[in-house]
């Protein structure tokens, strides 16, 4: 049995307090919370074109060709002779007007519940923007009987009947449009099992969204509905006789879609984009407001059964057209979109949104940055130097970080992994999102994991490779080069593991201990070493319009033993030294950066500090870095200061802790994690 559309949204709720919504009719000036600028939405710019959306007569004998062409070139079109009675359109408009003309306290009787989606409320995308939208809405999923009874005790049955009839007509029209569009691509009923002649899309699910855009005192600075794509197969919109809908074309800009009496607007949604393997683009659109008339629109959002797997149709995939997207349910797609909405257009921003603007004070970072980073630099150590052990030990004690040359990792391999990273981050956002990390997982594409601990967003994106799941992601992203790219990662991982083991031995040697002094790390005839957990993180820091107010990666320490970093030829990494402040680590060709992590800090009983570091961005070039994070043992193996370096002169500072336990603690208290496992009275 399929889960309901309501279940989909409830699984990923967006809670917006309705108390934040004003009584629009009482406002004579635009509140600051409703005043939009390019900093609040990168696509806020004014309409810039007189072009017009295609207009299609559904009685035209060439209608399938026209619909297919409009879907391919625009992702949207208007239709006439669609079969929906004009009387019914008048009825649904009258119902909508009656609803929004009710006093606010009446509308709030049918307010959307925290655990639901139906009812009165603000736009669901509101939580992704810094400013509020000049609109209100009412969502209908399933029967509106209870809500309508609260709004219209005497007329609720009449209005429920209008909704039911409207939904029936829209369901038939949506199915007809779907077959016209897919038919233009040569897709037949037999090619879509869940939609074929037996079911005829009967499992499809839909929502009706009634929208109201009130008269606005300053429409040039307000936004009715911010720029977004729909997460549906198709959306069918009826707008009253007031213009406001705009769609975006890359080569043109914003195009206003004026209402035509009796016509309907149709736009392609994200799921149809996936189903057609990208042939039909899901169109970016928004709604503007005006100071003379309020505007109503009635959207029918139509999609598949929420737990049905959707993927590019086999008929649209061949050796020349690889599948661009993996199989996923509508439910899974909505979860992905909710997680990554804010990063869809990061590379195209011309100004810095407030959500990415850092004040660079102690409130935003572990440590307040100095006004200018010092010209000092971390040590550069040649691993072929006969005194390498002492050099490494001194660097770990005084800096917690260093650079290494003659490390044994070939330049060609470093070039290969950097090229792989660039290839991935150069892909369109929708392609990268096919490798998105899940809410519970570590591997995959997404924001830095430390984002949870900061109010502001970071100017970066990344791909984490923590386990074998990257192979499936690579197969989806690069079906032809899958073997090649997997080979690069496997080779890189192997080389980094050997280098990390070599560094561990040398650094421990500076303390007069060996790997054999660490019970879980030594290898015996009866057992293998329990070392070996690692993560590779590919990072991208795009060009930034205001780098002095942005942060690529906020100040933090790594939770592992060692991190080995390859950075491209653009600087950005900074480490913090108490007596010096922030020190920039300029990239040196062929040289790798190594920093001590929290686990090594614990192992060394605090002798080797885990270094606080961050990444800054710039306005001229993007930056790539590849981090190899080498961790501790899995399972219930406990990590504690090495007994050989703990004694009367150096009491044990930290209690034993497993890596998984330490990660849980750090997830809760972040920069206070080492303090949380510290021994209260180390002298006792």
């Amino acid at each position: 049995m399929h889960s309901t559309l309501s279940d989909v949204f409830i699984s990923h709720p967006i809670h917006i307090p309705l108390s934040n919504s004003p009584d629009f009719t009482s406002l004579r000036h635009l509140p600051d919370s409703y005043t939009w600028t390019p900093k609040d939405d990168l696509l806020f710019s004014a309409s810039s074109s007189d072009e017009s959306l295609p207009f299609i007569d559904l009685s035209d004998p060439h209608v399938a060709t026209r619909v297919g062409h409009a879907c391919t070139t625009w992702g949207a079109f208007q239709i006439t002779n669609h079969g929906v009675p004009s009387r019914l359109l008048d009825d649904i408009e009258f119902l909508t007007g009656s609803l929004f003309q009710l006093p606010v306290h009446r509308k709030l009787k049918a307010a959307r519940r925290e655990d639901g989606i139906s009812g009165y409320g603000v736009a669901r995308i509101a939580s992704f923007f810094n400013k509020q939208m000049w609109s209100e809405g009412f969502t209908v999923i399933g029967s509106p009987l209870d809500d309508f009874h609260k709004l219209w005790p005497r007329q609720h049955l009449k209005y429920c009947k209008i909704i039911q009839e409207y939904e029936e007509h829209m369901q038939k029209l949506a199915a007809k449009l779907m077959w016209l569009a897919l038919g233009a691509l040569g897709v037949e009923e037999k090619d879509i099992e869940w939609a074929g002649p037996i079911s005829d899309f009967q499992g499809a699910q839909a929502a009706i969204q009634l929208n109201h855009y009130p008269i606005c005192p300053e429409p040039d600075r307000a936004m009715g509905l911010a720029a977004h794509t729909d997460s549906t197969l198709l959306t069918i919109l009826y707008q009253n006789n007031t213009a406001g809908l705009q769609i975006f074309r890359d080569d043109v800009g914003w195009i206003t879609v004026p209402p035509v009496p009796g016509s309907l607007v149709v736009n392609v949604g994200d799921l149809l984009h996936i189903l057609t393997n990208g042939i039909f683009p899901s169109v970016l659109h928004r709604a503007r407001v005006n100071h003379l008339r309020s505007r109503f629109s009635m959207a029918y959002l139509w999609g598949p059964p929420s737990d049905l797997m959707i993927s590019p149709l086999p008929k649209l995939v061949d050796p020349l057209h690889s599948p661009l997207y993996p199989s996923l349910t509508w439910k899974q797609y909505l979860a992905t979109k909710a997680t990554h909405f804010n990063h869809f257009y990061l590379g195209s921003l011309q100004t810095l949104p407030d959500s990415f603007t850092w004040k660079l004070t102690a409130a935003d970072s572990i440590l307040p940055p100095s006004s200018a980073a010092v010209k000092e630099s971390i040590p550069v150590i040649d691993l072929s130097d006969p005194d390498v052990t002492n050099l490494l030990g001194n660097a770990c004690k005084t800096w917690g970080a260093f650079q290494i040359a003659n490390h044994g990792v070939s330049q060609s391999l470093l070039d290969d992994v950097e090229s792989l990273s660039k290839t991935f981050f150069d892909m369109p956002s929708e392609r990268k999102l096919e490798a998105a990390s899940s809410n519970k997982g570590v591997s995959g594409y997404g924001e830095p994991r430390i984002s949870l601990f900061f109010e502001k967003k970071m100017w970066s994106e990344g791909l984490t490779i923590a386990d074998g799941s990257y192979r499936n992601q690579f197969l989806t992203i690069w079906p032809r080069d899958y073997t090649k790219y997997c080979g690069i990662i496997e080779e890189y991982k192997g080389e980094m593991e050997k280098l990390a083991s070599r560094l561990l031995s040398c650094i421990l040697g500076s303390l007069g201990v060996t790997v054999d002094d660490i019970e879980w790390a030594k290898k015996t005839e009866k057992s293998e070493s329990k070392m070996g957990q690692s993560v590779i993180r590919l990072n991208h820091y795009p060009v930034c319009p205001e780098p002095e107010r942005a942060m690529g990666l906020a100040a933090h320490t790594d939770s592992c033993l060692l991190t080995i970093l390859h950075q491209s030829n653009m600087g950005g990494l900074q480490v913090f030294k108490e007596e010096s402040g922030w020190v920039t680590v300029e990239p040196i060709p062929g040289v790798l950066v190594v920093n001590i992590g929290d686990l090594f800090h614990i192992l060394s009983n605090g002798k080797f500090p885990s270094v606080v570091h961050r990444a800054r961005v710039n306005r001229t070039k993007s930056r790539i870095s590849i981090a190899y994070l080498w961790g501790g043992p899995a399972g219930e193996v406990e990590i504690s200061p090495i007994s050989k370096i703990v004694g009367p002169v150096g009491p044990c500072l930290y209690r034993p802790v497993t890596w998984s336990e330490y990660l849980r603690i750090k997830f809760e208290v972040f920069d206070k994690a080492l303090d949380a496992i510290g021994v209260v009275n180390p002298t006792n």
Side-chain angles (χ1 to χ4, degrees):
M1 183 175 180
H2 295 306
S3 58
T4 66
L5 184 58
S6 183
D7 291 335
V8 174
F9 290 109
I10 292 172
S11 300
H12 308 282
I14 298 175
H15 304 315
I16 312 291
L18 288 175
S19 57
N20 290 343
S21 298
D23 181 355
F24 293 105
T25 59
S26 64
L27 294 174
R28 296 293 176 265
H29 299 284
L30 200 66
D32 181 67
S33 58
Y34 285 83
T35 302
W36 287 62
T37 70
K39 291 184 179 181
D40 304 306
D41 181 5
L42 64 141
L43 295 164
F44 183 73
S45 59
S47 178
S48 58
S49 174
D50 294 328
E51 280 200 54
S52 182
L53 199 66
F55 202 90
I56 300 173
D57 185 334
L58 292 194
S59 65
D60 189 311
H62 304 291
V63 63
T65 301
R66 296 187 189 283
V67 168
H69 184 261
C71 287
T72 304
T73 57
W74 284 81
F77 51 94
Q78 291 194 83
I79 55 174
T80 187
N81 285 324
H82 42 65
V84 181
S86 58
R87 179 265 313 161
L88 181 57
L89 296 178
D90 292 340
D91 285 348
I92 196 75
E93 183 180 343
F94 176 79
L95 183 158
T96 304
S98 299
L99 189 157
F100 292 115
Q101 285 169 10
L102 292 172
V104 173
H105 72 274
R106 284 278 299 280
K107 288 181 283 191
L108 288 175
K109 289 184 177 181
R112 185 184 302 149
R113 299 187 308 274
E114 276 200 358
D115 61 348
I117 182 62
S118 296
Y120 174 73
V122 297
R124 283 184 57 80
I125 62 171
S127 65
F128 300 115
F129 296 91
N130 297 311
K131 299 295 184 177
Q132 297 187 59
M133 301 174 209
W134 197 262
S135 60
E136 55 183 342
F138 192 96
T139 307
V140 177
I141 296 179
S143 171
L145 183 62
D146 290 342
D147 284 336
F148 280 15
H149 189 271
K150 296 172 186 174
L151 297 171
W152 301 289
R154 297 181 180 178
Q155 296 176 298
H156 63 282
L157 293 177
K158 169 187 172 184
Y159 288 142
C160 284
K161 185 177 179 181
I162 292 173
I163 288 291
Q164 182 180 359
E165 185 181 0
Y166 191 75
E167 186 166 25
E168 289 172 356
H169 276 276
M170 286 295 155
Q171 161 68 22
K172 293 177 184 177
L173 178 58
K176 178 179 180 179
L177 291 167
M178 185 78 164
W179 286 128
L180 286 172
L182 293 177
L185 299 179
V187 176
E188 302 172 350
E189 291 181 346
K190 64 181 181 180
D191 298 318
I192 310 179
E193 185 177 341
W194 66 274
I198 297 176
S199 62
D200 193 25
F201 296 109
Q202 289 304 307
Q205 300 194 58
I208 295 175
Q209 178 69 34
L210 310 178
N211 302 304
H212 177 219
Y213 304 94
I215 292 173
C216 181
E218 299 176 73
D220 292 340
R221 301 199 301 147
M223 182 65 72
L225 191 63
H228 67 287
T229 60
D230 291 337
S231 304
T232 56
L233 286 167
L234 288 173
T235 298
I236 305 174
L237 182 82
Y238 174 57
Q239 52 179 343
N240 71 347
N241 59 356
T242 302
L245 174 64
Q246 295 180 336
I247 68 168
F248 190 84
R249 290 193 78 183
D250 287 333
D251 53 342
V252 176
W254 286 109
I255 297 168
T256 297
V257 183
V260 177
S263 70
L264 299 170
V265 181
V266 182
N267 67 264
V268 171
D270 297 341
L271 293 191
L272 187 52
H273 178 96
I274 293 170
L275 202 65
T276 61
N277 204 31
I279 296 174
F280 293 165
S282 51
V283 67
L284 196 67
H285 56 286
R286 69 182 184 187
R288 299 306 304 268
V289 291
N290 71 83
H291 68 284
L292 296 175
R293 303 179 68 177
S294 61
R295 173 176 175 263
F296 300 116
S297 71
M298 289 62 71
Y300 179 78
L301 300 109
W302 189 67
S306 58
D307 53 2
L308 180 82
M309 299 302 293
I310 293 289
S311 60
L313 291 169
K315 200 161 191 176
L316 303 179
V317 175
D318 56 42
L320 297 178
H321 303 89
S322 304
L324 301 180
Y325 307 101
S327 296
L328 77 173
T329 65
W330 195 2
K331 199 172 188 176
Q332 291 169 334
Y333 179 73
L334 285 172
T336 300
K337 193 167 183 177
T339 305
H340 300 281
F341 190 94
N342 281 302
H343 276 67
F344 272 9
Y345 310 106
L346 192 63
S348 10
L349 288 166
Q350 300 304 308
T351 56
L352 199 66
D354 180 67
S355 58
F356 287 86
T357 302
W358 289 62
K359 294 179 181 178
L360 299 183
T361 66
D364 294 306
S365 180
I366 291 177
L367 295 167
S370 56
S371 57
V374 297
K375 294 183 179 179
E376 232 182 317
S377 184
I378 64 173
V380 179
I381 299 172
D382 187 331
L383 291 193
S384 64
D385 191 308
D387 196 31
V388 64
T389 296
N390 290 329
L391 292 172
L392 289 173
N394 186 59
C396 289
K397 288 176 184 176
T398 56
W399 284 88
F402 49 90
Q403 297 192 78
I404 52 173
N406 287 320
H407 41 67
V409 182
S410 70
Q411 185 61 48
S412 62
L413 180 56
L414 296 178
D415 291 342
D416 284 346
V417 77
E418 184 177 335
S419 176
L420 181 156
S421 303
K422 288 179 179 177
T423 300
F424 177 79
F425 292 118
D426 283 345
M427 291 193 300
S429 294
E430 62 268 20
R431 288 285 303 280
K432 289 182 283 192
L433 284 173
E434 299 312 314
S437 55
S438 67
N439 289 337
K440 296 182 180 179
V442 175
S443 295
Y445 172 72
E447 299 173 300
R449 286 182 64 79
I450 63 171
S451 297
L452 295 170
F453 302 103
F454 296 90
E455 178 185 351
K456 298 295 185 177
K457 293 185 172 295
M458 301 174 207
W459 198 263
S460 61
E461 56 182 343
L463 179 68
T464 302
I465 299 170
D467 51 43
S469 63
Y470 78 90
R471 296 185 182 90
N472 291 331
Q473 293 167 346
F474 280 18
L475 182 59
T476 299
I477 300 166
W478 297 298
R480 295 182 184 177
D481 297 314
Y482 158 76
T483 303
K484 169 188 171 183
Y485 288 138
C486 284
I488 291 172
I489 291 297
E490 290 297 332
E491 183 180 0
Y492 192 75
K493 185 177 180 181
E495 289 297 310
M496 286 294 138
E497 187 172 355
K498 286 192 291 186
L499 178 57
S501 297
R502 178 183 172 189
L503 288 168
L504 177 67
S505 295
C506 288
I507 296 170
L508 289 175
S510 71
L511 294 174
V513 298
T514 68
V515 173
D516 290 341
D517 293 312
I518 307 173
E519 188 64 30
W520 48 266
K522 67 182 179 182
K523 184 187 294 185
T524 67
E525 292 182 1
K526 296 183 179 180
S527 66
E528 288 291 320
S529 165
K530 295 183 177 66
M531 294 291 296
Q533 292 202 95
S534 63
V535 170
I536 296 174
R537 172 77 177 179
L538 314 180
N539 301 301
H540 177 223
Y541 304 94
V543 171
C544 181
E546 299 177 70
E548 65 282 353
R549 300 200 301 147
M551 184 65 70
L553 191 63
H556 67 289
T557 61
D558 292 336
S559 305
C560 55
L561 282 166
L562 292 171
T563 297
I564 305 174
L565 183 82
H566 167 59
Q567 52 179 342
S568 61
N569 61 354
M570 174 57 61
L573 173 65
Q574 294 181 334
V575 301
F576 191 87
K577 194 179 182 187
E578 290 291 344
E579 61 272 25
S580 304
W582 287 107
V583 178
T584 298
V585 182
E586 296 293 346
I588 302 173
V591 169
L592 299 171
V593 181
V594 181
N595 67 264
I596 297 296
D598 294 346
L599 291 194
F600 216 137
H601 183 109
I602 296 168
L603 270 182
S604 67
N605 204 34
K607 288 181 169 55
F608 296 157
S610 51
V611 66
V612 177
H613 56 287
R614 69 182 186 186
R616 300 304 304 272
V617 291
N618 73 84
R619 70 176 74 251
T620 57
K621 288 186 178 180
S622 63
R623 174 175 173 262
I624 295 285
S625 72
I626 300 95
Y628 176 82
L629 298 102
W630 196 54
E636 298 305 310
V637 177
E638 291 188 325
I639 301 163
S640 59
I642 303 169
S643 58
K644 207 168 184 179
I645 61 174
V646 173
V649 181
C652 184
L653 300 179
Y654 302 100
R655 68 171 176 82
V657 62
T658 66
W659 192 19
S660 57
E661 181 189 359
Y662 181 73
L663 289 174
R664 285 196 299 271
I665 293 170
K666 191 158 186 177
F667 184 80
E668 292 173 0
V669 298
F670 193 46
D671 55 308
K672 304 296 189 297
L674 287 172
D675 294 339
I677 65 164
V679 176
V680 178
N681 243 325
T683 55
N684 292 341

